[in-house]
Amino acid sequence: MGIPVRGTLGIVITAKLRGVIPAARPVLEQLRLCGMYLSDRVINQSLALVGE
């Protein structure tokens, strides 16, 4: 059907790039606190993509 698949991390990155959220780091940290597993490497790479 041509519908792109995007995960939680992809949504956070897109929201930051579109200016919907001011910063991605607090959102990613909150996701971690709520039990989502995100490695330091994945978080650092994601933040680098959005210039944080």
Side-chain angles (χ1 to χ4, degrees):
M1 297 180 87
I3 300 171
V5 177
R6 195 169 285 167
T8 304
L9 190 55
I11 291 170
V12 173
I13 290 170
T14 300
K16 167 61 176 161
L17 292 173
R18 292 185 180 179
V20 176
I21 58 174
R25 182 181 298 276
V27 176
L28 297 179
E29 289 174 358
Q30 188 63 42
L31 287 170
R32 255 187 169 176
L33 289 173
C34 290
M36 183 175 189
Y37 176 76
L38 295 167
S39 69
D40 289 336
R41 183 175 147 215
V42 168
I43 288 180
N44 291 336
Q45 289 175 340
S46 301
L47 293 174
L49 285 173
V50 296
E52 286 188 41

